[in-house]
Amino acid sequence: MSKVSHPIVKQALQALLKRHEFLPVCKGESRDKAFKSMEAILSTPNQIHKAYIRMPLENGEIVRIPSFRVQHNNASGPYKGGIRFHESVNEHEVENLSFLMTLKNALHNVPYGGGKGGIVIDPRSLSEKELHALCVKYVRNFNDVLGPDKDIPAPDVGSGEREMDWMMAEYKKINHGQPYLGSFTGKSVINGGSLGRREATGKGVYFTMRYLLHDYVEKNRTNLENSENIFAKTTLEHSGRPLTVAIQGFGNVGSVTALEAYRDQKIQNKVVAVSDRNVTLTNLDGLDIPALVEFTANNKGDLPVTAEQLKAINVVATVEAREAVLTMDIDVLILAALEDQIHQDNWKDIKARILVEGANAPVTQEADELLAEKGVVIIPDILANAGGVIVSYLEWLQGRETQFYSEEEVFSKLYEKMGQTMETILPQYYADPFALRQNAFIHAVGRLSEVLYRQGKLY
């Protein structure tokens, strides 16, 4: 969550400190010192690398573009995290996102540490030639700290398989004769990428929602009905019936999540609203999501913004302001845009009782705590949007072994991994007063603490 790394770590460690079954060999004064060491380690990154990339534009102008690679922690494996191409990128944001990647990988038991990259640019403002040159220069600037066993970037906001292909090619050129397939993940299949990687994050986001509201309830309904837990009550109120769903963000994550919700025959959702950087489209009878996905594929990722464009693709929808999606009276709100979308100033306007974080840190800590007091179920980013890094790990493995999985095998492994995490987290969630985010962070910090302790890094 943006700007709150220190409180999150401290809260998780305070909860773990009270659990005598956690690190039982570490007692008394030694235990207190170990926990203070853990807070210091997790609250700061190992390394922050930055450069001002010199970029000649096609119009003859020279610009300097700030770029970053933050390496938070590698106790569990190589640093891992995407490269964000966006005009709002800053060092503090990239640092916090690298922290989230450390905990996300620990939560899902993926053998990676946490890293993140960022480039302060609107990629739409560059020509393809300029964007290629920027990717090449990014690799040249950070080559010394990247590699299949050191730090493995992937796509993020504003980047995709094209950019990862370019970057891998430059890494291969610089590091002639060295292994390169695992240097970047999220690549095209023809360049060693994995089937299913593009859809992985969106599919994982929807899977967590469905698992919580359907699969887990089906197996544990009696226990939930007998529970006095406020979140169990909210969950039961939204299980076993069709749901109205709104999705903020219609990029790679949001559009795939929307398709999954649209196609789910068991829950029979109605996707009644989607939004992007320009508009919100609404239809209380349900939107034609496949038609909208096809339109965005042919229009630089943008949704229709006029009645004429909607009519041309036979989609019935009302065009509203882009912020309208947040405050609709719906069951489930999936946040797949950017951070800090729900905050202290607008949380009271949120009517959805189930929130799913497809983006990183779309709900601030203040809003999270206030909504949780009202019994709102929030599936946090480190739990919901881990599909990308899980399939990135599968891509990395496939590249090392040069043995490749079918798409069906990839999604099967993805759902198995995320299902294991849900089964680990949810029983505790419905048994204590902590919100789901706190439970996820306690588990992730606990796992990472044990790794660090056994490596002798807490004393």
Coordinates of all heavy atoms in Angstrom, one line a residue, residues 19 25 48 74 96 119 130 135 151 159 173 183 223 267 338 352 354 386-387 402 443:
R19 N 2.7 -14.5 19.2 CA 2.4 -16.0 18.9 C 3.7 -16.8 19.3 O 4.7 -16.8 18.6 CB 2.1 -16.1 17.4 CG 0.9 -15.4 16.9 CD 0.6 -15.6 15.5 NE -0.6 -14.9 15.0 CZ -1.1 -14.9 13.8 NH1 -0.5 -15.6 12.9 NH2 -2.2 -14.2 13.5
V25 N 12.4 -21.0 19.2 CA 13.7 -21.0 19.7 C 14.3 -19.7 20.0 O 15.3 -19.5 20.6 CB 14.6 -21.8 18.7 CG1 14.2 -23.2 18.4 CG2 14.7 -21.0 17.3
I48 N 18.9 1.1 -4.3 CA 18.1 1.9 -5.2 C 19.0 2.4 -6.3 O 20.0 3.0 -6.1 CB 17.5 3.1 -4.5 CG1 16.6 2.7 -3.4 CG2 16.8 4.0 -5.4 CD1 16.0 3.8 -2.5
N74 N 16.3 -9.9 -1.3 CA 16.6 -11.1 -2.0 C 16.8 -12.3 -1.2 O 17.5 -13.2 -1.6 CB 17.7 -10.9 -3.1 CG 19.0 -10.6 -2.4 OD1 19.1 -10.3 -1.2 ND2 20.1 -10.7 -3.2
N96 N 8.1 1.5 -2.8 CA 7.0 0.8 -2.1 C 6.5 -0.4 -2.9 O 6.1 -1.4 -2.3 CB 5.8 1.8 -1.9 CG 6.0 2.6 -0.6 OD1 6.4 2.1 0.4 ND2 5.7 3.9 -0.7
I119 N 10.0 4.0 -15.2 CA 10.5 5.0 -16.2 C 9.4 6.1 -16.2 O 8.2 5.9 -16.5 CB 10.7 4.4 -17.6 CG1 11.7 3.2 -17.5 CG2 11.2 5.5 -18.5 CD1 11.9 2.5 -18.9
E130 N 11.3 5.4 -30.9 CA 11.8 6.0 -29.7 C 11.6 5.1 -28.5 O 12.5 5.0 -27.6 CB 11.0 7.3 -29.5 CG 11.3 8.4 -30.5 CD 10.4 9.6 -30.4 OE1 9.2 9.4 -29.9 OE2 10.7 10.7 -30.9
C135 N 13.9 1.4 -24.2 CA 14.1 0.1 -23.6 C 15.5 -0.3 -23.7 O 16.1 -0.9 -22.7 CB 13.2 -0.9 -24.4 SG 11.4 -0.7 -24.1
D151 N 18.3 -10.3 -10.8 CA 17.1 -9.4 -10.8 C 16.4 -9.6 -12.2 O 17.0 -9.4 -13.2 CB 17.5 -8.0 -10.6 CG 16.3 -7.0 -10.4 OD1 15.2 -7.5 -10.7 OD2 16.5 -5.9 -10.0
S159 N 3.8 -1.2 -20.1 CA 4.7 -2.1 -20.8 C 4.1 -3.5 -21.0 O 3.2 -3.8 -20.3 CB 6.1 -2.2 -20.0 OG 5.9 -2.7 -18.7
K173 N 22.6 -9.3 -26.1 CA 23.7 -8.7 -26.9 C 24.8 -8.3 -26.0 O 26.0 -8.5 -26.3 CB 23.1 -7.5 -27.7 CG 24.1 -6.7 -28.5 CD 23.4 -5.5 -29.1 CE 24.4 -4.6 -29.9 NZ 23.8 -3.4 -30.5
S183 N 16.3 -13.7 -18.2 CA 16.7 -12.4 -17.8 C 15.4 -11.4 -17.7 O 15.5 -10.5 -16.9 CB 17.7 -11.8 -18.8 OG 17.1 -11.7 -20.1
N223 N -19.4 -23.7 9.0 CA -18.5 -22.9 9.9 C -18.7 -21.4 9.7 O -18.7 -20.7 10.7 CB -17.0 -23.3 9.6 CG -16.6 -24.7 10.0 OD1 -17.3 -25.2 10.9 ND2 -15.6 -25.2 9.4
I267 N -21.3 -18.5 -11.3 CA -21.8 -17.4 -10.5 C -22.8 -16.5 -11.2 O -23.6 -15.9 -10.7 CB -20.6 -16.5 -10.0 CG1 -19.7 -17.4 -9.1 CG2 -21.0 -15.3 -9.3 CD1 -18.5 -16.6 -8.5
L338 N -4.8 2.3 -11.1 CA -3.6 2.7 -10.4 C -3.8 2.8 -8.9 O -4.9 2.5 -8.4 CB -3.1 4.1 -10.9 CG -2.7 4.1 -12.4 CD1 -2.5 5.5 -12.9 CD2 -1.4 3.3 -12.6
A352 N -19.9 -0.8 -2.9 CA -19.6 -2.2 -3.0 C -19.2 -2.8 -1.7 O -18.5 -2.1 -0.9 CB -18.5 -2.4 -4.1
I354 N -17.7 -5.9 -1.6 CA -16.5 -6.7 -1.9 C -15.6 -5.9 -2.8 O -16.1 -5.5 -3.9 CB -16.9 -8.0 -2.6 CG1 -18.0 -8.8 -1.9 CG2 -15.7 -8.9 -2.9 CD1 -17.6 -9.4 -0.6
A386 N -1.3 -11.7 -7.8 CA 0.0 -12.4 -7.9 C 0.1 -13.4 -9.1 O 1.1 -14.0 -9.3 CB 0.2 -13.3 -6.6
G387 N -1.0 -13.5 -9.9 CA -1.0 -14.4 -11.0 C 0.2 -14.1 -12.0 O 0.8 -15.0 -12.5
T402 N 14.2 -25.4 -20.9 CA 13.8 -25.4 -22.3 C 12.7 -26.5 -22.5 O 12.7 -27.2 -23.6 CB 15.0 -25.6 -23.2 OG1 15.7 -26.8 -23.0 CG2 16.0 -24.4 -23.1
H443 N 1.1 -13.3 7.5 CA 1.6 -14.6 7.0 C 2.9 -14.4 6.2 O 3.9 -15.1 6.3 CB 0.6 -15.3 6.1 CG 1.0 -16.6 5.6 ND1 0.9 -17.8 6.4 CD2 1.5 -17.0 4.4 CE1 1.3 -18.8 5.7 NE2 1.7 -18.4 4.5

